[in-house]
Amino acid sequence: MTPSGAEFVRQIKGQIAEVDPAQVHDVLWNEDVVLVDVRESDEVAAGKLPGAVHVPRGFLESRIDGAVGDRSKRVVLYCASGNRSALAARTLTEDLGYERVESMTGGYTLWKDRGYEVDVPRTLTAEQRERYSRHILINEVGLEGQIKLIDAKVLLIGAGALGSPNALYLAAAGVGTIGIVDDDVVDLSNLQRQVVHGTATIGVPKVESAATRINDLNPDVTVVQHKGRLDADSVLELFRAYDVIVDGTDNFPTRYLINDAAVRLNKPVVSAAILGFEAQLSVFDTSQDGPCYRCLFPVPPPAELAPSCGANGVLGVLPGTAGLLQATEVIKLIIGVGDSLRGRLLMYDALAAEFNEVKVRKDPECPVCSRDRASISDEEMGVFPDYEAFCAAAG
Ligand SMILES: [Zn+2]
């Protein structure tokens, strides 16, 4: 007589080895044991055993080789209650030649009831899935990359011409925390290039104006407003809270302060400068053994060679182009893809419509990045030179 489904499962359980969750818990992080979760994806999304690999039962035969190549290895299978994993255990043993297969009794339900630890995989809300769907579709970003963006903290120094495109596109990309340092208010003459602001926010502090626009573009983003100038007293504490620093300043004293503080903390700086019809960009990342800003410019150029945009004017789209190249580098750093501009200075000539680049080498004599970090005392750590005087002397 043909057995009922329930009887069949009972018979199978008599033919395979079963193991209690307590015994599985004892070998949780043991590399000689492979835990295989045979449930469906939506069940796994709610939580799984730490370290378990996911091979849905429907794909068991076709995917188990990828998960467990060595058939002599101890394999513990589990499902929600212990039935599907029992059937899967029989398949692995009888049909596929695995030598040491067990099915966990009571499955994930019993494991959880016993109070053992579980891993709840990160997921996105339905709204986030829709908002970031074009990112998730790209292999290089995907769900994992999008989660990295959401977890990332980026500090923009300056909410002006370079800061604007960075603020807008990093917010749109879903960077979860964007800090903005700026002490200025929005002026009508800014709007030719500082597109994060608008006519409605003329007279409003730039950090506030930018935060309003970002919150409208993407309410997922936490904007931290640092209203004021970047100064030597607070720079280290400020930088510590962020993963990537975006240099959007237009003055040399601040650039050197950003560099020296970032080098001390080993934080990457995505830097851009614009002048006339030309833009220059680089990534200074000493955590990856790259050069720093001082390796490239040990001293600032004389003032007549580096006039500020305020005094000399700038084509409004140029900081847009440069800022978007910066934002692209920031995103690449966060998700860890591609070749960054570390050790390279990219130059864009807008009039000629040409890109060129030169190598930037780490200067073994660099007074900042060549120093052994361990040799910097705690007191010395927070002390920075007088950059105004340093730049004035160079000029
Ligand atoms: Zn250096």
Short mmCIF file of all heavy atoms in Angstrom, two decimals, residues 325-394:
data_model
loop_
_atom_site.label_atom_id
_atom_site.label_comp_id
_atom_site.label_asym_id
_atom_site.label_seq_id
_atom_site.Cartn_x
_atom_site.Cartn_y
_atom_site.Cartn_z
N LEU A 325 32.13 64.13 -11.12
CA LEU A 325 33.25 63.18 -11.16
C LEU A 325 33.66 62.83 -9.72
O LEU A 325 33.95 61.67 -9.42
CB LEU A 325 34.44 63.78 -11.93
CG LEU A 325 34.24 63.89 -13.45
CD1 LEU A 325 35.33 64.75 -14.07
CD2 LEU A 325 34.22 62.51 -14.09
N GLN A 326 33.63 63.83 -8.84
CA GLN A 326 33.90 63.57 -7.41
C GLN A 326 32.88 62.59 -6.83
O GLN A 326 33.26 61.61 -6.19
CB GLN A 326 33.79 64.87 -6.61
CG GLN A 326 35.07 65.65 -6.44
CD GLN A 326 34.84 66.88 -5.56
OE1 GLN A 326 33.96 67.69 -5.85
NE2 GLN A 326 35.63 67.02 -4.52
N ALA A 327 31.61 62.87 -7.08
CA ALA A 327 30.54 62.01 -6.53
C ALA A 327 30.70 60.58 -7.03
O ALA A 327 30.47 59.61 -6.28
CB ALA A 327 29.17 62.56 -6.90
N THR A 328 31.13 60.43 -8.28
CA THR A 328 31.34 59.10 -8.84
C THR A 328 32.46 58.38 -8.08
O THR A 328 32.34 57.19 -7.76
CB THR A 328 31.73 59.21 -10.33
OG1 THR A 328 30.77 60.04 -10.99
CG2 THR A 328 31.75 57.85 -11.01
N GLU A 329 33.54 59.11 -7.79
CA GLU A 329 34.65 58.51 -7.03
C GLU A 329 34.19 58.12 -5.62
O GLU A 329 34.59 57.08 -5.09
CB GLU A 329 35.84 59.48 -6.95
CG GLU A 329 36.56 59.70 -8.27
CD GLU A 329 37.06 58.40 -8.88
OE1 GLU A 329 37.83 57.69 -8.21
OE2 GLU A 329 36.65 58.09 -10.02
N VAL A 330 33.37 58.96 -5.01
CA VAL A 330 32.87 58.66 -3.67
C VAL A 330 32.08 57.35 -3.69
O VAL A 330 32.29 56.46 -2.86
CB VAL A 330 31.97 59.81 -3.15
CG1 VAL A 330 31.29 59.42 -1.84
CG2 VAL A 330 32.78 61.10 -2.96
N ILE A 331 31.20 57.22 -4.67
CA ILE A 331 30.37 56.01 -4.75
C ILE A 331 31.23 54.77 -4.99
O ILE A 331 31.03 53.72 -4.38
CB ILE A 331 29.29 56.19 -5.84
CG1 ILE A 331 28.24 57.19 -5.32
CG2 ILE A 331 28.65 54.86 -6.22
CD1 ILE A 331 27.23 57.63 -6.35
N LYS A 332 32.24 54.91 -5.86
CA LYS A 332 33.15 53.79 -6.12
C LYS A 332 33.89 53.38 -4.85
O LYS A 332 34.04 52.18 -4.58
CB LYS A 332 34.15 54.16 -7.21
CG LYS A 332 33.56 54.09 -8.62
CD LYS A 332 34.40 54.88 -9.62
CE LYS A 332 35.84 54.40 -9.69
NZ LYS A 332 36.66 55.30 -10.55
N LEU A 333 34.33 54.37 -4.08
CA LEU A 333 35.03 54.05 -2.82
C LEU A 333 34.10 53.31 -1.87
O LEU A 333 34.50 52.34 -1.23
CB LEU A 333 35.50 55.34 -2.13
CG LEU A 333 36.76 56.03 -2.65
CD1 LEU A 333 36.99 57.32 -1.87
CD2 LEU A 333 37.98 55.13 -2.54
N ILE A 334 32.86 53.78 -1.77
CA ILE A 334 31.91 53.17 -0.82
C ILE A 334 31.60 51.73 -1.19
O ILE A 334 31.63 50.84 -0.36
CB ILE A 334 30.61 54.01 -0.74
CG1 ILE A 334 30.90 55.37 -0.12
CG2 ILE A 334 29.55 53.27 0.07
CD1 ILE A 334 29.75 56.36 -0.24
N ILE A 335 31.29 51.50 -2.48
CA ILE A 335 30.90 50.12 -2.82
C ILE A 335 32.09 49.26 -3.19
O ILE A 335 31.96 48.05 -3.34
CB ILE A 335 29.78 50.06 -3.89
CG1 ILE A 335 30.23 50.69 -5.20
CG2 ILE A 335 28.52 50.75 -3.42
CD1 ILE A 335 29.14 50.65 -6.25
N GLY A 336 33.26 49.90 -3.30
CA GLY A 336 34.49 49.11 -3.55
C GLY A 336 34.59 48.53 -4.94
O GLY A 336 34.94 47.35 -5.09
N VAL A 337 34.28 49.32 -5.94
CA VAL A 337 34.42 48.83 -7.32
C VAL A 337 35.30 49.79 -8.14
O VAL A 337 35.46 50.96 -7.79
CB VAL A 337 33.06 48.68 -8.05
CG1 VAL A 337 32.20 47.65 -7.37
CG2 VAL A 337 32.34 50.02 -8.16
N GLY A 338 35.83 49.28 -9.22
CA GLY A 338 36.56 50.11 -10.18
C GLY A 338 37.93 50.55 -9.70
O GLY A 338 38.40 50.16 -8.64
N ASP A 339 38.57 51.37 -10.52
CA ASP A 339 39.88 51.94 -10.19
C ASP A 339 39.66 53.37 -9.76
O ASP A 339 39.13 54.18 -10.52
CB ASP A 339 40.80 51.93 -11.42
CG ASP A 339 41.06 50.52 -11.90
OD1 ASP A 339 41.29 49.65 -11.05
OD2 ASP A 339 40.99 50.29 -13.12
N SER A 340 40.07 53.70 -8.54
CA SER A 340 39.86 55.07 -8.06
C SER A 340 40.92 55.99 -8.63
O SER A 340 41.90 55.55 -9.25
CB SER A 340 39.87 55.11 -6.53
OG SER A 340 41.18 55.36 -6.06
N LEU A 341 40.76 57.28 -8.43
CA LEU A 341 41.74 58.27 -8.87
C LEU A 341 42.90 58.38 -7.88
O LEU A 341 43.65 59.35 -7.92
CB LEU A 341 41.08 59.64 -9.05
CG LEU A 341 40.34 59.89 -10.37
CD1 LEU A 341 39.67 61.25 -10.37
CD2 LEU A 341 41.30 59.80 -11.57
N ARG A 342 43.04 57.39 -7.01
CA ARG A 342 44.17 57.39 -6.08
C ARG A 342 45.48 57.32 -6.87
O ARG A 342 45.63 56.49 -7.76
CB ARG A 342 44.05 56.19 -5.14
CG ARG A 342 45.28 55.93 -4.29
CD ARG A 342 44.96 54.90 -3.20
NE ARG A 342 44.13 53.80 -3.67
CZ ARG A 342 44.60 52.67 -4.22
NH1 ARG A 342 45.88 52.49 -4.37
NH2 ARG A 342 43.78 51.72 -4.61
N GLY A 343 46.39 58.25 -6.56
CA GLY A 343 47.67 58.26 -7.27
C GLY A 343 47.60 58.81 -8.68
O GLY A 343 48.51 58.65 -9.47
N ARG A 344 46.49 59.44 -9.01
CA ARG A 344 46.33 60.03 -10.35
C ARG A 344 45.69 61.40 -10.22
O ARG A 344 44.79 61.59 -9.41
CB ARG A 344 45.39 59.15 -11.20
CG ARG A 344 45.88 57.73 -11.40
CD ARG A 344 44.73 56.76 -11.60
NE ARG A 344 43.94 57.05 -12.79
CZ ARG A 344 42.77 56.50 -13.07
NH1 ARG A 344 42.22 55.62 -12.24
NH2 ARG A 344 42.12 56.81 -14.17
N LEU A 345 46.15 62.33 -11.02
CA LEU A 345 45.51 63.64 -11.07
C LEU A 345 44.83 63.75 -12.44
O LEU A 345 45.49 63.68 -13.48
CB LEU A 345 46.56 64.75 -10.91
CG LEU A 345 45.99 66.19 -10.92
CD1 LEU A 345 45.22 66.48 -9.64
CD2 LEU A 345 47.14 67.21 -11.07
N LEU A 346 43.51 63.85 -12.40
CA LEU A 346 42.74 63.93 -13.65
C LEU A 346 42.48 65.40 -13.96
O LEU A 346 42.04 66.15 -13.09
CB LEU A 346 41.41 63.19 -13.47
CG LEU A 346 40.49 63.14 -14.69
CD1 LEU A 346 41.06 62.23 -15.77
CD2 LEU A 346 39.10 62.65 -14.29
N MET A 347 42.79 65.78 -15.20
CA MET A 347 42.61 67.19 -15.57
C MET A 347 41.61 67.28 -16.71
O MET A 347 41.71 66.54 -17.69
CB MET A 347 43.96 67.78 -15.97
CG MET A 347 44.90 67.89 -14.77
SD MET A 347 46.60 68.26 -15.23
CE MET A 347 47.04 66.81 -16.14
N TYR A 348 40.66 68.18 -16.55
CA TYR A 348 39.63 68.36 -17.58
C TYR A 348 39.73 69.79 -18.10
O TYR A 348 39.66 70.75 -17.33
CB TYR A 348 38.26 68.09 -16.97
CG TYR A 348 37.10 68.49 -17.85
CD1 TYR A 348 36.96 67.97 -19.15
CD2 TYR A 348 36.13 69.39 -17.40
CE1 TYR A 348 35.89 68.33 -19.95
CE2 TYR A 348 35.05 69.75 -18.20
CZ TYR A 348 34.94 69.22 -19.47
OH TYR A 348 33.88 69.58 -20.27
N ASP A 349 39.89 69.90 -19.40
CA ASP A 349 39.94 71.20 -20.05
C ASP A 349 38.62 71.37 -20.81
O ASP A 349 38.40 70.73 -21.84
CB ASP A 349 41.15 71.25 -21.00
CG ASP A 349 41.24 72.58 -21.76
OD1 ASP A 349 40.24 73.31 -21.83
OD2 ASP A 349 42.34 72.86 -22.29
N ALA A 350 37.76 72.21 -20.27
CA ALA A 350 36.41 72.33 -20.84
C ALA A 350 36.43 72.97 -22.23
O ALA A 350 35.67 72.57 -23.12
CB ALA A 350 35.50 73.13 -19.90
N LEU A 351 37.30 73.93 -22.45
CA LEU A 351 37.34 74.59 -23.77
C LEU A 351 37.81 73.63 -24.86
O LEU A 351 37.25 73.61 -25.96
CB LEU A 351 38.27 75.82 -23.73
CG LEU A 351 37.68 77.10 -23.16
CD1 LEU A 351 38.69 78.23 -23.31
CD2 LEU A 351 36.36 77.46 -23.85
N ALA A 352 38.81 72.85 -24.55
CA ALA A 352 39.33 71.89 -25.53
C ALA A 352 38.52 70.60 -25.54
O ALA A 352 38.68 69.78 -26.45
CB ALA A 352 40.79 71.57 -25.19
N ALA A 353 37.65 70.42 -24.55
CA ALA A 353 36.93 69.16 -24.37
C ALA A 353 37.91 68.00 -24.30
O ALA A 353 37.83 67.04 -25.06
CB ALA A 353 35.88 68.94 -25.46
N GLU A 354 38.88 68.12 -23.40
CA GLU A 354 39.92 67.09 -23.26
C GLU A 354 40.12 66.68 -21.82
O GLU A 354 40.12 67.53 -20.92
CB GLU A 354 41.26 67.64 -23.77
CG GLU A 354 41.48 67.43 -25.24
CD GLU A 354 42.83 68.00 -25.70
OE1 GLU A 354 43.62 68.48 -24.85
OE2 GLU A 354 43.06 67.99 -26.91
N PHE A 355 40.33 65.39 -21.65
CA PHE A 355 40.74 64.86 -20.33
C PHE A 355 42.19 64.40 -20.43
O PHE A 355 42.56 63.77 -21.42
CB PHE A 355 39.88 63.66 -19.94
CG PHE A 355 38.52 64.02 -19.41
CD1 PHE A 355 37.40 64.00 -20.23
CD2 PHE A 355 38.35 64.35 -18.06
CE1 PHE A 355 36.14 64.33 -19.75
CE2 PHE A 355 37.09 64.67 -17.58
CZ PHE A 355 35.98 64.66 -18.41
N ASN A 356 42.98 64.73 -19.45
CA ASN A 356 44.35 64.22 -19.37
C ASN A 356 44.59 63.77 -17.94
O ASN A 356 43.87 64.17 -17.04
CB ASN A 356 45.36 65.33 -19.70
CG ASN A 356 45.39 65.58 -21.20
OD1 ASN A 356 45.79 64.73 -21.98
ND2 ASN A 356 44.92 66.76 -21.59
N GLU A 357 45.61 62.93 -17.75
CA GLU A 357 45.93 62.61 -16.36
C GLU A 357 47.43 62.42 -16.18
O GLU A 357 48.15 62.07 -17.11
CB GLU A 357 45.16 61.39 -15.86
CG GLU A 357 45.59 60.07 -16.40
CD GLU A 357 44.94 58.92 -15.61
OE1 GLU A 357 43.75 58.69 -15.83
OE2 GLU A 357 45.64 58.29 -14.79
N VAL A 358 47.89 62.72 -14.98
CA VAL A 358 49.29 62.46 -14.63
C VAL A 358 49.31 61.62 -13.35
O VAL A 358 48.37 61.64 -12.56
CB VAL A 358 50.09 63.78 -14.38
CG1 VAL A 358 50.27 64.56 -15.66
CG2 VAL A 358 49.43 64.63 -13.31
N LYS A 359 50.39 60.86 -13.22
CA LYS A 359 50.57 60.04 -12.01
C LYS A 359 50.95 60.95 -10.85
O LYS A 359 51.68 61.92 -11.02
CB LYS A 359 51.73 59.06 -12.24
CG LYS A 359 51.31 57.75 -12.84
CD LYS A 359 52.30 56.63 -12.41
CE LYS A 359 51.73 55.27 -12.71
NZ LYS A 359 51.61 55.03 -14.16
N VAL A 360 50.44 60.64 -9.68
CA VAL A 360 50.86 61.36 -8.47
C VAL A 360 51.56 60.34 -7.59
O VAL A 360 50.97 59.32 -7.23
CB VAL A 360 49.66 61.96 -7.71
CG1 VAL A 360 50.16 62.75 -6.50
CG2 VAL A 360 48.83 62.85 -8.62
N ARG A 361 52.81 60.58 -7.30
CA ARG A 361 53.56 59.61 -6.49
C ARG A 361 53.60 60.04 -5.03
O ARG A 361 53.59 61.21 -4.72
CB ARG A 361 54.98 59.46 -7.02
CG ARG A 361 54.97 58.72 -8.34
CD ARG A 361 56.33 58.17 -8.72
NE ARG A 361 56.17 57.28 -9.87
CZ ARG A 361 55.99 57.70 -11.12
NH1 ARG A 361 55.98 58.98 -11.39
NH2 ARG A 361 55.81 56.84 -12.11
N LYS A 362 53.64 59.04 -4.19
CA LYS A 362 53.78 59.30 -2.76
C LYS A 362 55.20 59.82 -2.54
O LYS A 362 56.16 59.22 -2.99
CB LYS A 362 53.58 57.97 -2.02
CG LYS A 362 53.24 58.11 -0.57
CD LYS A 362 52.92 56.73 0.01
CE LYS A 362 52.80 56.77 1.51
NZ LYS A 362 51.56 57.39 1.98
N ASP A 363 55.31 60.95 -1.87
CA ASP A 363 56.62 61.54 -1.61
C ASP A 363 57.19 60.93 -0.33
O ASP A 363 56.62 61.12 0.75
CB ASP A 363 56.46 63.07 -1.46
CG ASP A 363 57.76 63.75 -1.09
OD1 ASP A 363 58.80 63.06 -1.02
OD2 ASP A 363 57.74 64.98 -0.88
N PRO A 364 58.28 60.19 -0.45
CA PRO A 364 58.82 59.54 0.77
C PRO A 364 59.28 60.56 1.82
O PRO A 364 59.42 60.22 2.99
CB PRO A 364 60.01 58.73 0.25
CG PRO A 364 60.29 59.21 -1.13
CD PRO A 364 59.07 59.91 -1.65
N GLU A 365 59.47 61.82 1.38
CA GLU A 365 59.89 62.87 2.30
C GLU A 365 58.71 63.74 2.77
O GLU A 365 58.91 64.75 3.44
CB GLU A 365 60.92 63.81 1.62
CG GLU A 365 62.15 63.10 1.07
CD GLU A 365 63.04 62.58 2.19
OE1 GLU A 365 63.37 63.37 3.08
OE2 GLU A 365 63.36 61.37 2.17
N CYS A 366 57.49 63.37 2.35
CA CYS A 366 56.32 64.19 2.69
C CYS A 366 56.25 64.40 4.21
O CYS A 366 56.27 63.44 4.97
CB CYS A 366 55.04 63.52 2.20
SG CYS A 366 53.55 64.39 2.70
N PRO A 367 56.18 65.68 4.65
CA PRO A 367 56.19 65.92 6.09
C PRO A 367 54.95 65.38 6.80
O PRO A 367 54.94 65.24 8.02
CB PRO A 367 56.25 67.45 6.19
CG PRO A 367 55.74 67.95 4.88
CD PRO A 367 56.09 66.90 3.86
N VAL A 368 53.88 65.10 6.03
CA VAL A 368 52.63 64.66 6.66
C VAL A 368 52.42 63.15 6.53
O VAL A 368 52.33 62.45 7.54
CB VAL A 368 51.43 65.43 6.08
CG1 VAL A 368 50.13 64.93 6.70
CG2 VAL A 368 51.59 66.92 6.34
N CYS A 369 52.36 62.65 5.30
CA CYS A 369 51.96 61.26 5.17
C CYS A 369 53.10 60.26 5.32
O CYS A 369 52.86 59.07 5.42
CB CYS A 369 51.17 61.02 3.88
SG CYS A 369 52.15 61.03 2.38
N SER A 370 54.37 60.76 5.31
CA SER A 370 55.47 59.80 5.47
C SER A 370 55.71 59.48 6.95
O SER A 370 56.41 58.56 7.29
CB SER A 370 56.76 60.36 4.87
OG SER A 370 57.24 61.42 5.67
N ARG A 371 55.07 60.26 7.83
CA ARG A 371 55.29 60.03 9.26
C ARG A 371 54.60 58.78 9.75
O ARG A 371 53.46 58.49 9.39
CB ARG A 371 54.76 61.23 10.08
CG ARG A 371 55.76 62.34 10.21
CD ARG A 371 55.35 63.30 11.31
NE ARG A 371 55.50 62.74 12.65
CZ ARG A 371 55.16 63.41 13.75
NH1 ARG A 371 54.63 64.62 13.66
NH2 ARG A 371 55.33 62.86 14.94
N ASP A 372 55.28 58.07 10.58
CA ASP A 372 54.72 56.88 11.20
C ASP A 372 53.64 57.34 12.20
O ASP A 372 53.93 58.12 13.10
CB ASP A 372 55.85 56.12 11.91
CG ASP A 372 55.33 54.90 12.64
OD1 ASP A 372 54.16 54.52 12.39
OD2 ASP A 372 56.08 54.34 13.45
N ARG A 373 52.43 56.83 11.97
CA ARG A 373 51.33 57.30 12.82
C ARG A 373 51.55 57.01 14.30
O ARG A 373 51.14 57.77 15.17
CB ARG A 373 50.01 56.69 12.36
CG ARG A 373 49.10 57.72 11.77
CD ARG A 373 47.99 57.09 10.95
NE ARG A 373 47.92 57.75 9.68
CZ ARG A 373 48.63 57.43 8.62
NH1 ARG A 373 49.46 56.41 8.67
NH2 ARG A 373 48.53 58.11 7.50
N ALA A 374 52.22 55.91 14.56
CA ALA A 374 52.46 55.52 15.96
C ALA A 374 53.37 56.53 16.67
O ALA A 374 53.36 56.62 17.89
CB ALA A 374 53.08 54.13 16.00
N SER A 375 54.14 57.31 15.87
CA SER A 375 55.06 58.27 16.49
C SER A 375 54.36 59.58 16.86
O SER A 375 54.95 60.46 17.48
CB SER A 375 56.21 58.57 15.52
OG SER A 375 55.77 59.44 14.48
N ILE A 376 53.08 59.71 16.47
CA ILE A 376 52.35 60.94 16.79
C ILE A 376 51.67 60.78 18.15
O ILE A 376 50.83 59.91 18.33
CB ILE A 376 51.29 61.27 15.71
CG1 ILE A 376 51.96 61.35 14.33
CG2 ILE A 376 50.55 62.57 16.02
CD1 ILE A 376 51.00 61.53 13.16
N SER A 377 52.06 61.62 19.11
CA SER A 377 51.49 61.50 20.45
C SER A 377 50.06 62.04 20.46
O SER A 377 49.63 62.74 19.54
CB SER A 377 52.33 62.31 21.45
OG SER A 377 52.19 63.69 21.16
N ASP A 378 49.33 61.69 21.52
CA ASP A 378 47.93 62.12 21.63
C ASP A 378 47.81 63.64 21.62
O ASP A 378 46.90 64.19 21.02
CB ASP A 378 47.30 61.57 22.92
CG ASP A 378 47.01 60.08 22.79
OD1 ASP A 378 47.13 59.56 21.65
OD2 ASP A 378 46.69 59.45 23.80
N GLU A 379 48.76 64.32 22.30
CA GLU A 379 48.71 65.79 22.35
C GLU A 379 48.98 66.37 20.96
O GLU A 379 48.32 67.30 20.52
CB GLU A 379 49.76 66.37 23.33
CG GLU A 379 49.55 66.03 24.80
CD GLU A 379 50.18 64.70 25.18
OE1 GLU A 379 51.41 64.60 25.12
OE2 GLU A 379 49.44 63.75 25.49
N GLU A 380 49.95 65.77 20.28
CA GLU A 380 50.36 66.27 18.98
C GLU A 380 49.26 66.04 17.94
O GLU A 380 49.11 66.79 16.98
CB GLU A 380 51.62 65.51 18.55
CG GLU A 380 52.58 66.33 17.73
CD GLU A 380 53.72 65.45 17.19
OE1 GLU A 380 54.06 64.43 17.81
OE2 GLU A 380 54.24 65.82 16.13
N MET A 381 48.49 64.98 18.16
CA MET A 381 47.45 64.55 17.21
C MET A 381 46.51 65.69 16.83
O MET A 381 46.15 65.88 15.68
CB MET A 381 46.68 63.39 17.85
CG MET A 381 45.71 62.74 16.94
SD MET A 381 46.53 61.68 15.73
CE MET A 381 45.08 61.08 14.85
N GLY A 382 46.09 66.45 17.84
CA GLY A 382 45.10 67.50 17.57
C GLY A 382 45.70 68.86 17.28
O GLY A 382 44.96 69.86 17.19
N VAL A 383 47.00 68.93 17.13
CA VAL A 383 47.65 70.23 16.89
C VAL A 383 48.01 70.37 15.41
O VAL A 383 48.64 69.48 14.83
CB VAL A 383 48.93 70.37 17.76
CG1 VAL A 383 49.62 71.70 17.48
CG2 VAL A 383 48.56 70.24 19.23
N PHE A 384 47.56 71.46 14.80
CA PHE A 384 47.83 71.69 13.38
C PHE A 384 48.54 73.03 13.21
O PHE A 384 48.38 73.94 14.02
CB PHE A 384 46.51 71.68 12.60
CG PHE A 384 45.84 70.35 12.58
CD1 PHE A 384 44.84 70.04 13.50
CD2 PHE A 384 46.23 69.37 11.68
CE1 PHE A 384 44.23 68.79 13.51
CE2 PHE A 384 45.62 68.12 11.68
CZ PHE A 384 44.63 67.83 12.59
N PRO A 385 49.34 73.13 12.12
CA PRO A 385 50.04 74.40 11.90
C PRO A 385 49.08 75.55 11.59
O PRO A 385 47.88 75.32 11.34
CB PRO A 385 50.93 74.11 10.70
CG PRO A 385 50.57 72.77 10.17
CD PRO A 385 49.64 72.12 11.12
N ASP A 386 49.61 76.76 11.57
CA ASP A 386 48.82 77.93 11.19
C ASP A 386 48.81 77.99 9.66
O ASP A 386 49.77 78.41 9.03
CB ASP A 386 49.47 79.19 11.79
CG ASP A 386 48.70 80.46 11.43
OD1 ASP A 386 47.89 80.42 10.47
OD2 ASP A 386 48.91 81.48 12.10
N TYR A 387 47.71 77.52 9.09
CA TYR A 387 47.67 77.38 7.62
C TYR A 387 47.60 78.73 6.89
O TYR A 387 48.08 78.84 5.79
CB TYR A 387 46.50 76.48 7.21
CG TYR A 387 46.68 75.07 7.70
CD1 TYR A 387 46.01 74.62 8.83
CD2 TYR A 387 47.54 74.19 7.04
CE1 TYR A 387 46.20 73.33 9.29
CE2 TYR A 387 47.73 72.91 7.51
CZ TYR A 387 47.05 72.47 8.63
OH TYR A 387 47.24 71.21 9.09
N GLU A 388 46.97 79.71 7.54
CA GLU A 388 46.91 81.03 6.90
C GLU A 388 48.34 81.55 6.71
O GLU A 388 48.71 82.02 5.63
CB GLU A 388 46.11 82.02 7.78
CG GLU A 388 44.66 81.63 8.03
CD GLU A 388 43.75 81.83 6.82
OE1 GLU A 388 44.20 82.50 5.86
OE2 GLU A 388 42.61 81.31 6.83
N ALA A 389 49.14 81.41 7.77
CA ALA A 389 50.52 81.88 7.72
C ALA A 389 51.33 81.06 6.72
O ALA A 389 52.10 81.59 5.93
CB ALA A 389 51.15 81.81 9.10
N PHE A 390 51.10 79.74 6.74
CA PHE A 390 51.81 78.83 5.83
C PHE A 390 51.52 79.20 4.37
O PHE A 390 52.42 79.29 3.53
CB PHE A 390 51.35 77.40 6.15
CG PHE A 390 51.72 76.36 5.14
CD1 PHE A 390 53.05 75.96 4.98
CD2 PHE A 390 50.74 75.75 4.36
CE1 PHE A 390 53.38 74.97 4.05
CE2 PHE A 390 51.06 74.77 3.44
CZ PHE A 390 52.39 74.39 3.28
N CYS A 391 50.25 79.45 4.07
CA CYS A 391 49.87 79.78 2.69
C CYS A 391 50.34 81.19 2.29
O CYS A 391 50.76 81.42 1.16
CB CYS A 391 48.37 79.64 2.49
SG CYS A 391 47.83 77.93 2.62
N ALA A 392 50.28 82.10 3.26
CA ALA A 392 50.73 83.46 2.98
C ALA A 392 52.23 83.48 2.69
O ALA A 392 52.69 84.15 1.76
CB ALA A 392 50.41 84.38 4.16
N ALA A 393 52.98 82.67 3.45
CA ALA A 393 54.43 82.61 3.26
C ALA A 393 54.76 82.06 1.86
O ALA A 393 55.65 82.54 1.18
CB ALA A 393 55.06 81.72 4.34
N ALA A 394 53.97 81.05 1.44
CA ALA A 394 54.21 80.45 0.12
C ALA A 394 53.85 81.43 -0.98
O ALA A 394 54.52 81.49 -2.02
CB ALA A 394 53.39 79.17 -0.02
#
